[in-house]
Amino acid sequence: MATQSEGGLPAVEVLGLGIGGEPCPRTLEAASRCDVLAGGKRQLAAFERLGKAAIPFAGPLEQALERVAEARAQGLRVAVLADGDPLYFGIGARLLERFGREALRFTPGVTAVQAAAARLGLPWQELPAVSLHGREDPGPLLCALAFSGRAAVYTDAANSPDALCAMLLARGLPPRTRASVLEDMGLPGEKIHTLDLPGAAALRFSPLNLLLLELPSGAPRPQLGRPDAFYETEGGLMTKGPARACSIAALRLEPESLLWDVGAGSGAVGIEACAFLRGGRVYAVERSPVRCAMIRRNAARCGAWQVDVAEGAAPEALAALPEPARIFMGGSLSGGTQALEACCERLAPGGRLVLNTVLLSSLGAALEVFKRLGWAIEVMQVRADEAEPLAGDLRLAARNPVFIAGADKPARLP
């Protein structure tokens, strides 16, 4: 195969070493053809026998990549060494940003997920994998568990298997969730631990590990349309099923949307919205500590692990939350429009806000705010009748009509 890129300079070889870091004959041959090897300390040590010049990845990565670019500009053949498949949660994406596709040639190795699945006898074609390297937000893991019931996790020092399992327990995941921790795969001290969440949370593991989580059979998943009686409420106060479904539809959620459910009450709207958020999150804002605890229980019963509860009154409680793409507000505006105006200000450009109310005065106040801002507005009224027993038969009893107002914040001009 040609080793020249379109610009006439040598292509950078990006070599995946597989599990354990011991080079296979193909990667060893490719590295031996190069003049310079770049990689981490552990990867470089595996090729020390070749006696090549080295560019260690220590300190800021950009500085090391600049040295790679300089060596390539001098006509030297450079190989970048990586674990597993460089294009699977690896350095490959960063190299593509820096050098472009035509300047690189990839030779993949076996990934940690692939090796873990083989060791556990687990078909993995539908196994979601997430990387929490350098992340403070466990959202990708929570979404994977909500939709697939299992996930392979690339961990780091902060997001270690014990810390992650403790976090999942605190969010209400079933303690019987299986946590398989594979330590030092491919190395002499390799170990496999199969534990439940409490067991994994109580142990410490080698920094070189992969965590595989599997919810127990029958664990709940997010869904739309659960009966109102399924939810724990305070005095029956909640957005009822028909209005809930119409409100979620009016939000026009995208899979990655970050949603605020302001004045969440039972949390039912945000919880059922999770059924559409494969990569998104929900922040349920509620001032009552009793209702906050209730939301957490409802979310756990529904498998809506993407729901975070922000205790406090709007607008004060909104300040610490990340910028939302969608906002739902339930209840009246009898106390004023301050919370609504704060939500409008924080909503991302191009985002959408949906407000429910049964009071004409609240609807009018909301429409005045939207008109003043120049936002596009949609209003509908939802009225539903529900069957109830009467004289050995059924009759339809009317529920209170609900106004649903949706407004779109203009996108930023290019």
Side-chain angles (χ1 to χ4, degrees):
M1 298 179 70
T3 59
Q4 296 291 113
S5 66
E6 282 189 357
L9 295 175
V12 175
E13 299 275 359
V14 188
L15 307 178
L17 307 190
I19 300 304
E22 186 64 29
C24 69
R26 184 171 61 171
T27 55
L28 191 60
E29 179 186 358
S32 66
R33 294 195 303 264
C34 293
D35 304 303
V36 181
L37 303 182
K41 180 179 179 181
R42 181 166 48 83
Q43 289 92 0
L44 290 172
F47 291 83
E48 195 171 17
R49 73 192 82 164
L50 297 180
K52 303 287 185 177
I55 299 175
F57 286 173
L61 179 60
E62 187 56 40
Q63 293 181 10
L65 296 185
E66 186 59 33
R67 291 183 62 191
V68 170
E70 291 170 357
R72 180 171 178 258
Q74 296 168 16
L76 298 176
R77 294 164 297 179
V78 182
V80 174
L81 309 176
D83 289 327
D85 183 343
L87 291 170
Y88 190 78
F89 297 103
I91 197 173
R94 181 67 187 87
L95 293 173
L96 288 167
E97 287 179 10
R98 178 65 176 78
F99 296 100
R101 184 180 301 175
E102 298 303 325
L104 304 169
R105 193 175 73 170
F106 292 91
T107 301
V110 174
T111 70
V113 174
Q114 183 180 4
R119 283 158 168 75
L120 297 172
L122 180 69
W124 67 290
Q125 64 270 16
E126 296 181 0
L127 173 66
V130 299
S131 175
L132 297 184
H133 274 294
R135 292 188 66 116
E136 295 182 2
D137 176 17
L141 170 58
L142 301 173
C143 288
L145 292 173
F147 281 90
S148 298
R150 56 183 188 160
V153 192
Y154 289 92
T155 65
D156 66 9
N159 295 298
S160 57
D162 54 293
L164 291 174
C165 290
M167 178 272 295
L168 295 175
L169 279 171
R171 297 186 80 95
L173 270 78
R176 293 187 298 110
T177 296
R178 178 182 295 173
S180 298
V181 183
L182 297 99
E183 294 183 287
D184 298 319
M185 280 191 290
L187 299 176
E190 176 175 332
K191 294 179 183 178
I192 299 176
H193 307 266
T194 300
L195 308 156
D196 58 14
L197 289 184
L203 296 180
R204 301 296 178 266
F205 302 94
S206 164
L208 190 63
N209 67 71
L210 186 86
L211 172 64
L212 202 149
L213 295 160
E214 299 174 88
L215 292 177
S217 176
R221 303 281 179 85
Q223 68 179 61
L224 182 67
R226 281 192 167 92
D228 292 346
F230 180 86
Y231 292 97
E232 183 182 345
T233 66
E234 189 174 57
L237 295 176
M238 68 182 306
T239 302
K240 302 300 192 295
R244 190 162 67 241
C246 291
S247 298
I248 292 172
L251 283 165
R252 297 173 190 166
L253 296 164
E254 297 179 356
E256 306 295 324
S257 292
L258 192 151
L259 168 67
W260 287 0
D261 181 0
V262 180
S266 68
V269 171
I271 288 169
E272 294 199 2
C274 287
F276 301 92
L277 300 178
R278 286 190 168 270
R281 295 292 292 279
V282 173
Y283 286 85
V285 182
E286 175 53 56
R287 65 184 178 183
S288 164
V290 171
R291 289 195 288 270
C292 286
M294 190 171 63
I295 293 168
R296 293 187 181 96
R297 292 192 293 270
N298 282 334
R301 291 182 64 215
C302 295
W305 315 120
Q306 308 101 303
V307 174
D308 279 290
V309 178
E311 184 176 327
E316 294 80 12
L318 307 179
L321 301 183
E323 182 180 74
R326 301 290 188 271
I327 298 176
F328 173 76
M329 298 186 71
S332 73
L333 299 179
S334 57
T337 61
Q338 296 91 340
L340 173 60
E341 291 172 2
C343 285
C344 291
E345 182 178 350
R346 289 293 312 280
L347 183 65
R352 184 169 175 83
L353 186 151
V354 170
L355 179 140
N356 281 14
T357 182
V358 298
L359 300 178
L360 282 169
S361 60
S362 293
L363 176 63
L367 295 181
E368 284 299 319
V369 171
F370 297 145
K371 288 176 183 176
R372 187 170 68 248
L373 293 171
W375 292 13
I377 305 169
E378 298 173 1
V379 179
M380 65 176 165
Q381 184 188 72
V382 175
R383 174 179 169 176
D385 300 329
E386 185 176 22
E388 62 179 32
L390 178 66
D393 204 340
L394 295 174
R395 78 175 187 105
L396 290 177
R399 291 187 173 187
N400 285 335
V402 177
F403 296 109
I404 299 178
D408 297 308
K409 187 171 186 175
R412 288 193 184 99
L413 295 176

